[in-house]
């Protein structure tokens, strides 16, 4: 756009080096201004990201303050960008055809290499934008599927916290007495509708598994017979809202001296007890010859998850009063209303039961569940933000190139309209030019997005890496963005007055 000015400067004796220096300085000023604005946005966004992290994952080692190395890196990146993308047009612009430039035949000078380079940059922008939009769609879909998983138990109005009685009560009998007393105290709090306790229960952060022997089940050669096992207290299934399918659940009568009772889930019954009534079947934890069936199945419950990502596995439950060692338990307290209102009463009861017993963090069940997928939530949010930002940059790039092209082709458009071209024809010409750039970018972006999706598919949940709806939606979004970016310049071009255009310099 400044070819005529540069040609005049060169014609009256300006050196090429001084002009390149001036153009580079202008580019560096723009780059540094962009870097400064980026730092400001970075400061805001870092504080927002820290606010989104669970408190248990944040700490003094995480800060929203920008460090000197980060400042230096950003400054260096801005300088490199300014030098790189300022030097190329500076070198091109200071080698004009002086005769042509002084005659202001700029329209003949904007085609060729520089124009193709500009269009190539815009095509690359569109391709990268589509890649990021596809990534945002994949991670957002994965997060949505995670939040919709039916966990098999009630998550509403549920509080969860850990209690470690063995720390001050190493004897199993003493720990059992404490847990029973604590459960009774918690159940007596007004507003509490159920209390359950379990080791390796849902979202407790650990699972236990081992081999076993089931009466009447004949495994195939080299088949591993095993299942997860969870130690629970009386009333656990009722408090968790896990439906009882057959038999009974544990009660206070399932104590150390009573016959060993077991409750299994539906997945266990389907795999090892298919075609039989599970209630009354005996089993052994481990294997011996001959089998020592000391445990009897007294009930069957519905399947439930121990976390969001993994499906419900074959599981058997055992009363903690009959377990051979004391263990840390997770307590699940179900309330009739807002669970946060009972937090103070629960802490008071815990201190009154035994102030020497360590108590874990007390949180609503939904908070615990949300924290287990906070990484997926963070990735989905970041990829979505990057996708929006990249799409905005692609729109700016498309608009800039098309608007510049329309400005430089004003005389040409005036001639076309003077010879009878309709405004709709001019508008269609501009839109087609933009559409070609967008089509190339979308095509390249789809290939890149497919290659990337194969790499991240293992991180997704319930979403195929090459999901056609997500790919199609991303392509449609970029196509609409390209159309919107071209409408304003195209509309202006279709409203050009031929007489004014023919006089345009």
């Amino acid at each position: 756009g400044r070819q005529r000015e540069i040609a005049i400067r060169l014609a009256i004796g300006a050196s090429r080096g001084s002009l390149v220096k001036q153009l580079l300085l202008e580019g560096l000023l723009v780059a540094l201004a962009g870097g400064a604005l980026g730092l400001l946005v970075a400061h805001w966004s870092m504080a927002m990201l820290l606010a989104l992290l669970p408190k248990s994952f944040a700490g003094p080692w995480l800060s929203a303050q920008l460090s000197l190395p980060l400042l230096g890196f950003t400054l260096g990146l801005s300088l490199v960008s300014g030098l790189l993308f300022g030097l190329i047009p500076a070198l091109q612009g200071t080698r004009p055809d002086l005769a042509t430039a002084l005659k202001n035949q700029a329209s003949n000078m904007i085609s060729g290499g520089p124009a193709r380079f500009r269009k190539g940059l815009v095509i690359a922008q569109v391709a990268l934008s589509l890649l990021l939009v596809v990534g945002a769609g994949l991670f957002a879909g994965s997060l949505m599927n995670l939040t919709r998983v039916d966990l098999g138990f009630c998550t509403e109005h549920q509080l969860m916290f850990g209690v470690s009685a063995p720390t001050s009560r190493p004897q199993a009998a003493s720990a059992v007495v404490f847990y029973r007393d604590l459960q009774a105290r918690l159940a007596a709090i007004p507003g509490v509708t159920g209390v359950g306790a379990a080791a390796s229960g849902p979202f407790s952060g650990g699972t236990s598994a081992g081999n076993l022997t089931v009466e009447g089940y004949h495994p195939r050669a080299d088949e591993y017979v095993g299942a997860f096992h969870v130690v629970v207290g009386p009333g656990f299934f009722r408090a968790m809202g896990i439906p009882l399918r057959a038999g009974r659940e544990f009660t206070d009568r399932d104590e150390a001296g009573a016959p060993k009772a077991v409750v299994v889930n539906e997945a266990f019954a389907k795999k090892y007890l298919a075609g039989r009534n599970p209630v009354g079947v005996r089993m052994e934890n481990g294997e011996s010859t001959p089998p020592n069936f000391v445990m009897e199945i007294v009930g069957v419950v519905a399947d439930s998850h121990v976390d969001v990502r993994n499906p419900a596995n074959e599981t058997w439950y055992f009363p903690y009063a009959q377990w051979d060692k004391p263990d840390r338990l997770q307590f699940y307290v179900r309330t009739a209303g807002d669970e946060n209102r009972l937090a103070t009463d629960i802490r008071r009861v815990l201190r009154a039961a035994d102030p020497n017993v360590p108590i874990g963090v007390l949180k609503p069940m939904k908070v615990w569940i949300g924290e287990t997928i906070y990484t997926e939530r963070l990735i989905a949010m970041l990829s979505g933000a990057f996708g929006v930002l990249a799409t905005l940059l692609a729109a700016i790039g498309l608009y800039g190139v098309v608007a510049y092209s329309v400005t430089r082709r004003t005389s040409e458009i005036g001639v076309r309209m003077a010879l009878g071209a309709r405004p709709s024809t001019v508008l269609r010409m501009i839109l087609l030019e933009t559409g070609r750039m967008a089509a190339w970018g979308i095509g390249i972006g789809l290939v890149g997005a497919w290659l990337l999706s194969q790499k991240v598919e293992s991180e997704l949940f319930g979403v195929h890496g090459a999901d056609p709806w997500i790919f199609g939606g991303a392509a449609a979004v970029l196509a609409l963005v390209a159309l919107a970016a071209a409408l304003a310049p195209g509309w202006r071009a279709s409203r050009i007055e031929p007489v004014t255009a023919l006089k345009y310099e």
Side-chain angles (χ1 to χ4, degrees):
R2 298 170 64 183
Q3 292 278 9
R4 183 176 175 82
E5 171 202 337
I6 292 172
I8 292 175
R9 286 172 180 251
L10 289 171
I12 62 177
S15 68
R16 187 185 181 201
S18 64
L19 290 177
V20 170
K21 189 185 301 182
Q22 176 189 338
L23 294 174
L24 275 179
L25 182 60
E26 293 175 1
L28 285 175
L29 288 174
V30 173
L32 288 174
L37 180 60
L39 284 175
L40 184 62
V41 175
H43 178 71
W44 293 338
S45 60
M46 295 232 307
M48 180 184 66
L49 289 176
L50 283 182
L52 291 174
L53 286 175
K55 292 182 180 179
S56 57
F57 289 89
W61 58 88
L62 287 176
S63 171
Q65 300 301 317
L66 295 172
S67 64
L68 287 177
L70 280 175
L71 291 171
F73 174 78
T74 306
L75 176 63
L77 191 62
S78 299
L79 290 174
V80 169
S81 299
L83 286 172
L84 178 62
F85 291 98
L87 183 62
I88 295 175
L91 292 175
Q92 290 177 340
T94 54
R95 289 193 341 194
D97 182 346
L98 291 182
T100 303
L102 291 172
K103 292 177 182 178
N104 198 31
Q105 296 178 358
S107 60
N108 295 326
M109 298 164 59
I110 63 167
S111 59
R116 286 193 295 272
F117 181 71
R118 285 193 297 273
K119 291 181 179 180
L121 287 179
V122 171
I123 289 171
Q125 274 188 319
V126 173
L128 290 173
S129 299
L130 186 132
L131 189 148
L132 288 172
V133 171
V134 167
L138 291 174
F139 286 115
S142 178
L143 176 63
M144 189 177 299
N145 289 336
L146 285 170
T147 58
R148 291 177 176 176
V149 170
D150 181 7
L151 299 174
F153 60 88
C154 179
T155 60
E156 299 287 341
H157 310 299
Q158 191 90 260
L159 283 163
M160 173 181 161
F161 55 92
V163 180
S164 184
T167 304
S168 61
R169 298 167 180 264
Q171 298 299 320
S174 177
V176 168
V177 170
F178 171 77
Y179 283 139
R180 284 187 174 176
D181 177 64
L182 177 59
Q183 184 166 347
R185 289 171 181 259
L186 292 171
I189 298 175
V192 172
T193 58
V195 180
S200 303
F203 298 92
S204 62
T207 55
S208 299
N211 64 326
L212 48 87
T213 305
V214 181
E215 184 182 29
Y217 181 77
H218 304 288
R220 300 183 302 274
D222 299 327
E223 178 187 357
Y224 172 74
V225 179
F228 288 99
H229 63 265
V230 182
V231 179
V232 303
F236 170 77
F237 303 109
R238 183 172 62 255
M240 294 295 294
I242 300 176
L244 183 67
R245 302 301 191 197
R248 66 173 180 87
E249 64 172 295
F250 301 128
T251 67
D252 290 334
R253 291 177 297 176
D254 296 307
E255 53 189 14
K260 293 187 177 182
V262 171
V263 172
V264 300
N265 69 350
E266 290 180 305
F268 185 104
K270 182 178 180 180
K271 181 174 182 179
Y272 297 122
L273 306 168
R276 292 189 288 165
N277 180 12
V279 177
V281 175
R282 297 179 300 165
M283 54 183 284
E284 176 188 6
N285 183 20
E287 54 183 346
S288 60
T289 305
N292 183 22
F293 297 118
V294 295
M295 299 184 296
E296 181 179 337
I297 298 175
V298 298
V300 180
V301 295
D303 295 335
S304 60
H305 294 237
V306 294
D307 57 42
V308 175
R309 277 189 169 270
N310 296 311
N313 294 299
E314 298 83 19
T315 305
W316 58 279
Y317 301 88
F318 197 71
Y320 68 66
Q322 296 181 350
W323 198 239
D324 56 0
K325 62 178 180 179
D327 207 343
R328 181 179 186 273
L329 296 185
Q330 292 287 336
F331 273 79
Y332 304 86
V333 180
R334 194 172 180 183
T335 69
D338 183 6
E339 60 269 25
N340 292 307
R341 295 181 179 178
L342 293 179
T344 302
D345 292 333
I346 291 174
R347 291 189 181 95
R348 175 180 52 78
V349 167
L350 291 172
R351 287 192 299 268
D354 189 340
N356 297 318
V357 173
I359 306 299
V361 180
L362 173 64
K363 296 178 187 176
M365 175 61 77
K366 282 199 166 184
V367 175
W368 284 103
I369 295 172
E371 288 184 358
T372 63
I373 58 172
Y374 90 96
T375 302
E376 289 82 356
R377 193 181 305 277
L378 199 61
I379 291 175
M381 184 196 68
L382 287 176
S383 60
F386 292 149
V388 171
L389 180 61
T391 303
L392 178 62
L393 290 175
I396 293 172
L398 282 166
Y399 175 83
V401 167
V402 175
Y404 181 71
S405 175
V406 168
T407 301
R408 305 306 295 172
R409 296 173 64 183
T410 299
S411 297
E412 173 202 336
I413 293 171
V415 171
R416 289 175 178 270
M417 298 188 74
L419 294 176
R422 296 182 178 181
S424 60
T425 304
V426 174
L427 176 61
R428 184 165 60 251
M429 177 183 68
I430 301 300
L431 293 181
L432 284 175
E433 179 182 350
T434 307
R436 281 191 289 270
M437 288 189 289
W440 274 102
I442 290 172
I444 296 171
L446 286 174
V447 174
W450 182 83
L451 294 174
L452 180 66
S453 68
Q454 305 308 302
K455 301 293 184 183
V456 303
E457 189 166 17
S458 60
E459 303 297 323
L460 302 175
F461 182 83
V463 177
H464 293 294
D467 190 294
W469 290 102
I470 293 177
F471 276 63
V477 167
L478 266 296
L480 289 174
V481 166
L483 176 64
L487 275 178
W491 181 263
R492 286 201 303 271
S494 67
R495 291 296 179 267
I496 290 176
E497 292 291 338
V499 176
T500 305
L502 292 174
K503 296 179 181 179
Y504 178 79
E505 293 187 0

